[in-house]
């Protein structure tokens, strides 16, 4: 299933769009990996893309990188959580999108050195705690032009967050925002450092048959589907994303569908693509076949809040 999300970014390289025209096929679904995955529900992508997905899965499954990933803390949901019934009006929405905040309180200066991630499935992890000033400045890094939101209080609390190891309770700074009954929550921990991938990227430049993903948007509550940003150009029919599932990983491989004749403008367009899985994602590593790395949460901005 594909839904259009109007996010256009600058062209990574003009040569990449020029190379679109060879062999990209439509479809979305999965392919069996030694009997462990789901069967393709659309047209087969290029054989090289399937082979690349298998290489990525083989490199990660059972690797020290995968073991390190499962020990770490990697958010798979928004690390900034809005107050209930946000936003009251369009001005507040625009202020948040522009990161325009005004501080009408003193921020706490005393806080523990470390915070703890506590997973619902068991286990915990201790990480350095982000201070209130740093957390606030991450929210309020706008130009100050236009409407703004006013912060009138701040205290350390907790929130619940989806991570690569399932749902967890994490420390968060709770900012009181004028006009709202519940706080805006900013998670007070930075993600663990990602492990070095056991496989190199597919190529220096993408082709029509294999493109890097723009980022992870959402993992369904039941874990049986994931939504990612897939990119395409102005001279094709859109993106397609296929999946290869194993016991240890879920490898997504994206391509561009079709071509159009004529001049091609220098742009990339991001679309949300939802891919169904044969079984819940669980703690399997969600991987991008092109990069050979875990798919970052947040539309290509790393493990960061999605402000769209």
């Amino acid at each position: 299933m594909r839904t259009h999300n109007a996010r256009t970014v600058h062209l990574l390289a003009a040569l990449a769009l020029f190379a679109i025209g060879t062999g990209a096929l439509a479809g979305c679904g999965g392919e069996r990996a030694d009997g462990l995955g789901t069967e393709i529900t659309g047209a087969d992508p290029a054989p090289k893309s399937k082979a690349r997905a298998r290489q990525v899965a083989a490199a990660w499954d059972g690797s020290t990188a995968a073991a390190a990933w499962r020990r770490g803390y990697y958010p798979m949901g928004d690390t900034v959580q809005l107050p209930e019934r946000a936003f009251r009006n369009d001005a507040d929405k625009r202020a948040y999108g522009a990161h325009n905040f005004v501080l009408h309180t003193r921020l706490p200066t005393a806080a523990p050195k470390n915070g703890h991630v506590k997973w619902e499935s068991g286990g915990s992890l201790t990480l350095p705690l982000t201070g209130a000033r740093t957390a606030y400045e991450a929210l309020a890094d706008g130009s100050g032009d236009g409407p703004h939101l006013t912060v009138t209080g701040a205290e350390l609390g907790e929130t619940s967050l989806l991570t690569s190891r399932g749902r967890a309770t994490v420390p968060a700074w709770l900012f009181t925002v004028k006009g709202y009954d519940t706080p805006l929550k900013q998670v007070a921990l930075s993600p663990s450092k990602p492990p070095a991938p056991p496989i190199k990227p597919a190529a220096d430049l993408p082709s029509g048959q294999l493109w890097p993903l723009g980022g992870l948007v959402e993992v369904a509550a039941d874990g049986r589907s994931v939504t990612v940003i897939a990119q395409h150009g102005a001279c094709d029919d859109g993106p397609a994303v296929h999946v290869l599932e194993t016991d240890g990983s879920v490898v997504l491989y994206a391509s561009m569908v079709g071509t159009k004749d004529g001049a091609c403008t220098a742009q990339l367009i991001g679309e949300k693509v939802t891919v169904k899985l044969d079984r819940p994602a669980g703690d399997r590593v969600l991987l991008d076949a092109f990069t050979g790395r875990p798919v970052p949460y947040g539309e290509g901005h790393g493990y960061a809040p999605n402000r769209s």
Side-chain angles (χ1 to χ4, degrees), residues 8-37:
T8 301
V9 295
H10 292 297
L11 179 66
L12 293 175
L15 179 60
L17 284 180
F18 179 76
I20 287 173
T22 57
L25 299 175
C28 119
E31 179 215 353
R32 287 195 181 276
D34 299 326
L36 299 175

mmCIF file of all heavy atoms in Angstrom, residues 8-37:
data_model
loop_
_atom_site.group_PDB
_atom_site.id
_atom_site.type_symbol
_atom_site.label_atom_id
_atom_site.label_comp_id
_atom_site.label_asym_id
_atom_site.label_seq_id
_atom_site.Cartn_x
_atom_site.Cartn_y
_atom_site.Cartn_z
ATOM 1 N N THR A 8 9.484 16.778 -0.694
ATOM 2 C CA THR A 8 10.425 16.800 -1.796
ATOM 3 C C THR A 8 11.770 17.281 -1.289
ATOM 4 O O THR A 8 11.857 18.235 -0.565
ATOM 5 C CB THR A 8 9.930 17.749 -2.903
ATOM 6 O OG1 THR A 8 8.649 17.290 -3.332
ATOM 7 C CG2 THR A 8 10.884 17.745 -4.084
ATOM 8 N N VAL A 9 12.823 16.567 -1.640
ATOM 9 C CA VAL A 9 14.153 16.945 -1.197
ATOM 10 C C VAL A 9 15.051 17.153 -2.397
ATOM 11 O O VAL A 9 14.729 16.756 -3.517
ATOM 12 C CB VAL A 9 14.758 15.859 -0.273
ATOM 13 C CG1 VAL A 9 13.969 15.734 1.000
ATOM 14 C CG2 VAL A 9 14.833 14.525 -0.996
ATOM 15 N N HIS A 10 16.200 17.794 -2.209
ATOM 16 C CA HIS A 10 17.111 18.052 -3.301
ATOM 17 C C HIS A 10 17.657 16.749 -3.867
ATOM 18 O O HIS A 10 17.805 15.758 -3.168
ATOM 19 C CB HIS A 10 18.281 18.911 -2.822
ATOM 20 C CG HIS A 10 17.864 20.300 -2.458
ATOM 21 N ND1 HIS A 10 17.341 21.170 -3.369
ATOM 22 C CD2 HIS A 10 17.893 20.953 -1.269
ATOM 23 C CE1 HIS A 10 17.065 22.318 -2.768
ATOM 24 N NE2 HIS A 10 17.377 22.201 -1.490
ATOM 25 N N LEU A 11 18.032 16.752 -5.094
ATOM 26 C CA LEU A 11 18.582 15.586 -5.786
ATOM 27 C C LEU A 11 19.905 15.176 -5.163
ATOM 28 O O LEU A 11 20.766 16.001 -4.939
ATOM 29 C CB LEU A 11 18.792 15.930 -7.263
ATOM 30 C CG LEU A 11 19.395 14.820 -8.131
ATOM 31 C CD1 LEU A 11 18.404 13.674 -8.218
ATOM 32 C CD2 LEU A 11 19.686 15.356 -9.510
ATOM 33 N N LEU A 12 20.054 13.887 -4.845
ATOM 34 C CA LEU A 12 21.320 13.409 -4.314
ATOM 35 C C LEU A 12 22.429 13.509 -5.354
ATOM 36 O O LEU A 12 23.543 13.883 -5.047
ATOM 37 C CB LEU A 12 21.180 11.937 -3.859
ATOM 38 C CG LEU A 12 20.269 11.684 -2.673
ATOM 39 C CD1 LEU A 12 20.148 10.198 -2.427
ATOM 40 C CD2 LEU A 12 20.804 12.382 -1.443
ATOM 41 N N ALA A 13 22.090 13.150 -6.594
ATOM 42 C CA ALA A 13 23.057 13.272 -7.688
ATOM 43 C C ALA A 13 22.297 13.172 -8.984
ATOM 44 O O ALA A 13 21.441 12.308 -9.144
ATOM 45 C CB ALA A 13 24.110 12.167 -7.603
ATOM 46 N N ALA A 14 22.595 14.036 -9.934
ATOM 47 C CA ALA A 14 21.859 14.031 -11.196
ATOM 48 C C ALA A 14 22.026 12.709 -11.909
ATOM 49 O O ALA A 14 21.108 12.205 -12.558
ATOM 50 C CB ALA A 14 22.348 15.176 -12.083
ATOM 51 N N LEU A 15 23.177 12.099 -11.775
ATOM 52 C CA LEU A 15 23.417 10.832 -12.436
ATOM 53 C C LEU A 15 22.473 9.748 -11.952
ATOM 54 O O LEU A 15 22.083 8.856 -12.708
ATOM 55 C CB LEU A 15 24.866 10.394 -12.185
ATOM 56 C CG LEU A 15 25.301 9.060 -12.782
ATOM 57 C CD1 LEU A 15 25.143 9.087 -14.299
ATOM 58 C CD2 LEU A 15 26.733 8.749 -12.405
ATOM 59 N N ALA A 16 22.083 9.820 -10.681
ATOM 60 C CA ALA A 16 21.198 8.797 -10.130
ATOM 61 C C ALA A 16 19.862 8.779 -10.845
ATOM 62 O O ALA A 16 19.338 7.725 -11.184
ATOM 63 C CB ALA A 16 21.001 9.044 -8.640
ATOM 64 N N LEU A 17 19.253 9.948 -11.093
ATOM 65 C CA LEU A 17 17.979 9.995 -11.795
ATOM 66 C C LEU A 17 18.144 9.593 -13.260
ATOM 67 O O LEU A 17 17.261 8.985 -13.850
ATOM 68 C CB LEU A 17 17.381 11.401 -11.699
ATOM 69 C CG LEU A 17 16.754 11.749 -10.358
ATOM 70 C CD1 LEU A 17 16.197 13.161 -10.394
ATOM 71 C CD2 LEU A 17 15.647 10.775 -10.018
ATOM 72 N N PHE A 18 19.288 9.919 -13.832
ATOM 73 C CA PHE A 18 19.537 9.534 -15.221
ATOM 74 C C PHE A 18 19.552 8.030 -15.373
ATOM 75 O O PHE A 18 19.195 7.473 -16.420
ATOM 76 C CB PHE A 18 20.882 10.123 -15.676
ATOM 77 C CG PHE A 18 21.251 9.774 -17.097
ATOM 78 C CD1 PHE A 18 20.638 10.418 -18.153
ATOM 79 C CD2 PHE A 18 22.188 8.798 -17.353
ATOM 80 C CE1 PHE A 18 20.960 10.099 -19.459
ATOM 81 C CE2 PHE A 18 22.522 8.478 -18.653
ATOM 82 C CZ PHE A 18 21.910 9.126 -19.723
ATOM 83 N N ALA A 19 19.936 7.323 -14.265
ATOM 84 C CA ALA A 19 20.088 5.871 -14.319
ATOM 85 C C ALA A 19 18.808 5.117 -14.035
ATOM 86 O O ALA A 19 18.807 3.896 -13.979
ATOM 87 C CB ALA A 19 21.161 5.432 -13.319
ATOM 88 N N ILE A 20 17.694 5.807 -13.847
ATOM 89 C CA ILE A 20 16.457 5.159 -13.410
ATOM 90 C C ILE A 20 15.928 4.145 -14.423
ATOM 91 O O ILE A 20 15.321 3.156 -14.067
ATOM 92 C CB ILE A 20 15.373 6.216 -13.109
ATOM 93 C CG1 ILE A 20 15.730 6.926 -11.816
ATOM 94 C CG2 ILE A 20 13.996 5.622 -13.014
ATOM 95 C CD1 ILE A 20 14.828 8.091 -11.508
ATOM 96 N N GLY A 21 16.188 4.340 -15.699
ATOM 97 C CA GLY A 21 15.404 3.673 -16.726
ATOM 98 C C GLY A 21 15.548 2.196 -16.896
ATOM 99 O O GLY A 21 14.936 1.669 -17.808
ATOM 100 N N THR A 22 16.323 1.465 -16.103
ATOM 101 C CA THR A 22 16.561 0.066 -16.420
ATOM 102 C C THR A 22 15.971 -0.875 -15.399
ATOM 103 O O THR A 22 16.480 -1.003 -14.289
ATOM 104 C CB THR A 22 18.077 -0.208 -16.511
ATOM 105 O OG1 THR A 22 18.669 0.173 -15.280
ATOM 106 C CG2 THR A 22 18.700 0.583 -17.644
ATOM 107 N N GLY A 23 14.866 -1.513 -15.722
ATOM 108 C CA GLY A 23 14.418 -2.710 -15.041
ATOM 109 C C GLY A 23 13.709 -2.575 -13.724
ATOM 110 O O GLY A 23 13.507 -3.579 -13.059
ATOM 111 N N ALA A 24 13.317 -1.421 -13.267
ATOM 112 C CA ALA A 24 12.583 -1.328 -12.002
ATOM 113 C C ALA A 24 11.169 -1.821 -12.197
ATOM 114 O O ALA A 24 10.483 -1.411 -13.111
ATOM 115 C CB ALA A 24 12.569 0.113 -11.499
ATOM 116 N N LEU A 25 10.725 -2.712 -11.295
ATOM 117 C CA LEU A 25 9.412 -3.337 -11.452
ATOM 118 C C LEU A 25 8.536 -3.011 -10.267
ATOM 119 O O LEU A 25 9.005 -2.775 -9.164
ATOM 120 C CB LEU A 25 9.572 -4.862 -11.577
ATOM 121 C CG LEU A 25 10.396 -5.325 -12.791
ATOM 122 C CD1 LEU A 25 10.580 -6.825 -12.733
ATOM 123 C CD2 LEU A 25 9.715 -4.926 -14.088
ATOM 124 N N ALA A 26 7.232 -3.060 -10.479
ATOM 125 C CA ALA A 26 6.276 -2.700 -9.428
ATOM 126 C C ALA A 26 6.111 -3.838 -8.437
ATOM 127 O O ALA A 26 6.517 -4.958 -8.679
ATOM 128 C CB ALA A 26 4.933 -2.361 -10.065
ATOM 129 N N GLY A 27 5.425 -3.499 -7.336
ATOM 130 C CA GLY A 27 5.024 -4.536 -6.411
ATOM 131 C C GLY A 27 5.465 -4.258 -5.005
ATOM 132 O O GLY A 27 6.377 -3.508 -4.762
ATOM 133 N N CYS A 28 4.831 -4.910 -4.042
ATOM 134 C CA CYS A 28 5.250 -4.796 -2.667
ATOM 135 C C CYS A 28 4.858 -6.058 -1.965
ATOM 136 O O CYS A 28 3.877 -6.654 -2.249
ATOM 137 C CB CYS A 28 4.686 -3.549 -2.101
ATOM 138 S SG CYS A 28 3.640 -3.381 -0.828
ATOM 139 N N GLY A 29 5.738 -6.546 -1.118
ATOM 140 C CA GLY A 29 5.512 -7.801 -0.449
ATOM 141 C C GLY A 29 6.838 -8.375 -0.044
ATOM 142 O O GLY A 29 7.817 -7.674 0.046
ATOM 143 N N GLY A 30 6.908 -9.680 0.181
ATOM 144 C CA GLY A 30 8.153 -10.262 0.644
ATOM 145 C C GLY A 30 8.547 -11.466 -0.147
ATOM 146 O O GLY A 30 7.817 -11.971 -0.979
ATOM 147 N N GLU A 31 9.749 -11.967 0.150
ATOM 148 C CA GLU A 31 10.274 -13.122 -0.531
ATOM 149 C C GLU A 31 10.769 -14.098 0.511
ATOM 150 O O GLU A 31 11.229 -13.687 1.583
ATOM 151 C CB GLU A 31 11.444 -12.691 -1.420
ATOM 152 C CG GLU A 31 12.071 -13.838 -2.154
ATOM 153 C CD GLU A 31 13.562 -13.618 -2.281
ATOM 154 O OE1 GLU A 31 14.031 -12.551 -1.927
ATOM 155 O OE2 GLU A 31 14.223 -14.563 -2.723
ATOM 156 N N ARG A 32 10.639 -15.391 0.237
ATOM 157 C CA ARG A 32 11.102 -16.364 1.201
ATOM 158 C C ARG A 32 12.628 -16.339 1.284
ATOM 159 O O ARG A 32 13.315 -16.268 0.291
ATOM 160 C CB ARG A 32 10.640 -17.777 0.828
ATOM 161 C CG ARG A 32 9.160 -17.971 1.068
ATOM 162 C CD ARG A 32 8.787 -19.441 1.045
ATOM 163 N NE ARG A 32 7.371 -19.607 1.262
ATOM 164 C CZ ARG A 32 6.811 -19.639 2.452
ATOM 165 N NH1 ARG A 32 7.547 -19.500 3.526
ATOM 166 N NH2 ARG A 32 5.517 -19.788 2.577
ATOM 167 N N ALA A 33 13.117 -16.440 2.522
ATOM 168 C CA ALA A 33 14.547 -16.564 2.755
ATOM 169 C C ALA A 33 14.764 -17.897 3.455
ATOM 170 O O ALA A 33 14.567 -18.035 4.647
ATOM 171 C CB ALA A 33 15.051 -15.425 3.628
ATOM 172 N N ASP A 34 15.149 -18.925 2.682
ATOM 173 C CA ASP A 34 15.345 -20.269 3.227
ATOM 174 C C ASP A 34 14.106 -20.757 3.968
ATOM 175 O O ASP A 34 14.188 -21.402 5.011
ATOM 176 C CB ASP A 34 16.553 -20.281 4.164
ATOM 177 C CG ASP A 34 17.826 -19.900 3.421
ATOM 178 O OD1 ASP A 34 17.946 -20.247 2.235
ATOM 179 O OD2 ASP A 34 18.676 -19.250 4.044
ATOM 180 N N GLY A 35 12.926 -20.401 3.417
ATOM 181 C CA GLY A 35 11.675 -20.875 3.990
ATOM 182 C C GLY A 35 11.207 -20.101 5.192
ATOM 183 O O GLY A 35 10.218 -20.474 5.813
ATOM 184 N N LEU A 36 11.888 -18.995 5.546
ATOM 185 C CA LEU A 36 11.557 -18.290 6.771
ATOM 186 C C LEU A 36 10.690 -17.077 6.563
ATOM 187 O O LEU A 36 10.169 -16.510 7.509
ATOM 188 C CB LEU A 36 12.850 -17.864 7.484
ATOM 189 C CG LEU A 36 13.761 -19.001 7.910
ATOM 190 C CD1 LEU A 36 15.048 -18.450 8.490
ATOM 191 C CD2 LEU A 36 13.069 -19.888 8.930
ATOM 192 N N GLY A 37 10.538 -16.626 5.316
ATOM 193 C CA GLY A 37 9.847 -15.365 5.085
ATOM 194 C C GLY A 37 8.500 -15.537 4.434
ATOM 195 O O GLY A 37 7.958 -16.624 4.345
#
